[in-house]
Amino acid sequence: MQTLPCAHSQQCRLARPQTHQRLLFKLPGQHARPAAHLMPQQVHRTRKSCITRAAEDGVEGLELGLAPAKPRSPVGQMVTYYLKMEPHLFKDALDEQFRRLKDEKDEAEKLAKQQQEEQKEKQAQDKGKASSGEVVLYQRMQEVRSSEQRATVEDLMYASVLEKFMNLKVEMMPRMDSIVENQTNLKTLTEGIHSKEALELVREHVLGVMGPASMAYSNTMIKMAKLQAAQVYAASIMFGYFVRRVDKRFQLERQLGLRDDEQKDAVARLERMFNTEDEEQQDRPATPSSSSSPSTSGASQSSAGQSSGGSQGEGAGLGQGKKKESPLRKYIESFDQATLADMTRQVSQEGAALVDVQTTALFGNLRELQSQMQTAVGQDATSIEDLMQKVQDAVARDAVESLNITVGTQRRAVLEAIAFGTFLRDVESYVDGEYQLLTPAPSSSSKGGPGRGPPRPPLTGV
């Protein structure tokens, strides 16, 4: 335990953050006991902000509050330790590791360029008889180094996503093996994350993926295949990722004044109001000039009526506007095929990997679940209705792994998945903009990318 940081005083931790970072960086590499194996009393001394919870529930409860997935790299273990035990140092440690990876990547690219030039010179001198074994060995070393760096970047990005949940004081779902209940305020997973325009699409998505169950009581029990739950969760992550990308673009165009639809709506409301006033003035009967007093009274009443009518007309127009299609949905529907395909694809391979990491951590091996379902259902389904009936029969006779959960738990899981995708896109944008460490995902074709079929807006469910 000599490598653990000094935690006897707050002043010591704040005075020497660099020393703590160096000591903690040695922790995973020396195979010392990780934070998850500390006794509650040691957690009591290390993180004073979580004394009560650590003493009552143990560190296992604290881990479930974050996420069931585990880091794969030593650096990932280090930053996860910071996030749990020293959250005030997490951001500095995270940025330091990103900078280190950026420096290593730049140095590796420079070295690779030098190696290529040397190989060309050697081949020219040896008249093309240079051994290909050295080239293959060097390429293999580069592949291993790149794979290790990608794993580290993924762990750092995953920890960044978890930090955003922690900042919201939202506990993430544990592994979905039994009935799981969570008292998290759902408003935190909606209004605390999404814009007003995006919330309308989130509401539609939740209703779409839950179907009739969305109208049931929260404590109503439902049984569904694990594979179905995993597919809904993964689709909801991608939905949140997509909505964040589109909403960022929509809000930027609005701030720059590039969105003229709202200006057109305002002009239309003013025109309706003025047309109403003109019609009332034309329909008003003429009054005799000799009866000045009644004329004045009628004019004042007519003026009051015009004012009231104009106000009602504008209010009616605004009320109708609320019932209209959401601005963000209209914005999405204005995309052409190429733009829609580009917006629905994932930007980086690291982001795609984290979707699989989170889904697998919650529901288990997806390939095994798919194999179970194929064995139980078979290949002779003649229609979608027939296929869904076979799936229901397989769940009823326990031929596949299933979940018994409440409607409230399913709703909570869908909202968490949407938030995860939203945060993943934010972290991805930050890492790519500040450090350029991401590996671009394969560009999608006109059919929406490999294995995804024709592109469509993921706004009506899975």
Side-chain angles (χ1 to χ4, degrees):
M1 299 298 297
Q2 292 80 3
T3 57
L4 288 175
C6 176
H8 296 294
S9 66
Q10 182 73 10
Q11 294 81 5
C12 178
R13 290 197 298 270
L14 296 178
R16 297 185 295 169
Q18 298 297 328
T19 303
H20 291 265
Q21 292 172 5
R22 290 194 297 270
L23 290 175
L24 284 176
F25 182 71
K26 296 178 183 178
L27 179 63
Q30 293 179 351
H31 303 286
R33 288 186 297 171
H37 297 159
L38 294 177
M39 297 299 291
Q41 295 82 358
Q42 293 171 315
V43 177
H44 176 90
R45 294 196 304 268
T46 306
R47 186 182 179 187
K48 296 183 179 180
S49 62
C50 291
I51 290 176
T52 304
R53 172 120 188 232
E56 293 178 354
D57 301 334
V59 181
E60 289 77 12
L62 185 61
E63 285 189 353
L64 290 179
L66 287 178
K70 304 298 181 183
R72 298 178 298 165
S73 64
V75 175
Q77 297 175 14
M78 182 198 70
V79 295
T80 303
Y81 175 87
Y82 271 113
L83 183 61
K84 295 176 181 177
M85 304 303 174
E86 302 286 349
H88 60 285
L89 298 176
F90 171 78
K91 190 62 177 177
D92 292 337
L94 188 74
D95 289 337
E96 181 180 353
Q97 294 305 318
F98 276 131
R99 287 192 295 268
R100 181 184 62 81
L101 290 174
K102 180 68 168 73
D103 295 340
E104 290 181 357
K105 180 180 179 181
D106 294 341
E107 185 66 24
E109 291 177 352
K110 184 185 298 184
L111 182 60
K113 188 175 181 179
Q114 293 178 356
Q115 290 285 349
Q116 291 178 357
E117 294 177 354
E118 292 178 0
Q119 288 293 336
K120 289 180 180 180
E121 293 178 358
K122 188 174 182 180
Q123 289 179 0
Q125 293 176 358
D126 297 343
K127 296 181 180 180
K129 296 181 180 179
S131 174
S132 60
E134 297 180 1
V135 178
V136 173
L137 178 60
Y138 177 76
Q139 291 177 349
R140 179 56 182 164
M141 291 173 58
Q142 288 291 100
E143 292 175 358
V144 172
R145 192 178 296 112
S146 299
S147 178
E148 292 176 351
Q149 187 182 68
R150 275 189 56 189
T152 303
V153 172
E154 290 171 9
D155 284 345
L156 295 178
M157 291 175 62
Y158 191 77
S160 300
V161 173
L162 300 187
E163 184 208 16
K164 293 182 180 295
F165 281 98
M166 179 177 287
N167 291 339
L168 289 176
K169 297 180 175 58
V170 172
E171 291 190 357
M172 301 184 68
M173 302 290 290
R175 185 177 177 87
M176 302 288 285
D177 284 328
S178 59
I179 300 176
V180 179
E181 290 295 340
N182 194 293
Q183 300 300 324
T184 299
N185 187 355
L186 297 184
K187 285 187 176 181
T188 307
L189 287 173
T190 53
E191 297 176 1
I193 300 175
H194 309 287
S195 67
K196 181 181 67 174
E197 294 80 9
L199 274 177
E200 299 178 10
L201 301 186
V202 170
R203 186 179 300 107
E204 293 177 10
H205 176 80
V206 174
L207 295 176
V209 297
M210 294 187 63
S214 62
M215 308 304 296
Y217 290 107
S218 296
N219 59 355
T220 303
M221 294 296 299
I222 56 176
K223 185 177 182 179
M224 61 190 309
K226 249 189 184 183
L227 179 61
Q228 290 178 300
Q231 290 174 337
V232 170
Y233 193 91
S236 298
I237 292 179
M238 291 306 304
F239 172 82
Y241 184 93
F242 167 78
V243 168
R244 179 64 97 188
R245 287 193 71 189
V246 173
D247 190 41
K248 286 287 187 181
R249 175 170 168 169
F250 175 78
Q251 300 296 342
L252 178 61
E253 291 186 4
R254 170 183 284 180
Q255 292 176 2
L256 295 177
L258 301 178
R259 298 297 305 160
D260 58 351
D261 51 352
E262 297 181 357
Q263 299 176 1
K264 292 179 180 179
D265 291 341
V267 171
R269 287 197 300 268
L270 291 175
E271 289 179 350
R272 287 195 300 269
M273 182 177 66
F274 291 141
N275 291 336
T276 302
E277 293 179 353
D278 292 340
E279 291 176 358
E280 290 180 355
Q281 290 177 358
Q282 292 175 1
D283 296 339
R284 186 177 59 190
T287 57
S289 58
S290 59
S291 56
S292 59
S293 178
S295 174
T296 306
S297 174
S300 64
Q301 292 177 1
S302 176
S303 176
Q306 292 170 18
S307 176
S308 174
S311 179
Q312 290 176 358
E314 186 178 5
L318 291 174
Q320 292 174 0
K322 291 182 180 179
K323 297 179 182 179
K324 290 181 180 179
E325 194 175 25
S326 65
L328 190 56
R329 176 182 279 277
K330 290 175 60 178
Y331 178 66
I332 294 171
E333 291 177 348
S334 68
F335 291 165
D336 58 20
Q337 193 80 350
T339 303
L340 184 60
D342 180 67
M343 296 300 293
T344 53
R345 74 179 182 89
Q346 287 185 284
V347 175
S348 69
Q349 295 183 25
E350 289 80 4
L354 290 183
V355 176
D356 294 337
V357 167
Q358 177 66 9
T359 307
T360 301
L362 285 178
F363 300 97
N365 192 307
L366 300 183
R367 293 183 181 275
E368 293 180 0
L369 295 177
Q370 290 175 347
S371 177
Q372 286 181 3
M373 184 63 72
Q374 290 177 356
T375 302
V377 172
Q379 305 289 339
D380 56 346
T382 58
S383 63
I384 296 296
E385 292 76 10
D386 186 24
L387 176 62
M388 296 306 299
Q389 184 61 45
K390 289 179 178 294
V391 170
Q392 293 178 6
D393 294 342
V395 172
R397 66 176 188 270
D398 293 328
V400 295
E401 293 188 47
S402 304
L403 293 174
N404 293 295
I405 59 177
T406 63
V407 171
T409 300
Q410 186 187 18
R411 185 183 296 111
R412 165 71 174 79
V414 171
L415 290 176
E416 177 191 291
I418 296 173
F420 187 94
T422 301
F423 292 152
L424 177 60
R425 177 54 193 161
D426 291 342
V427 171
E428 191 180 58
S429 300
Y430 172 74
V431 174
D432 189 40
E434 294 291 331
Y435 303 104
Q436 298 84 43
L437 289 171
L438 301 183
T439 306
S443 59
S444 60
S445 63
S446 59
K447 294 184 179 181
R452 294 189 58 180
R456 60 184 178 94
L459 302 177
T460 57
V462 183

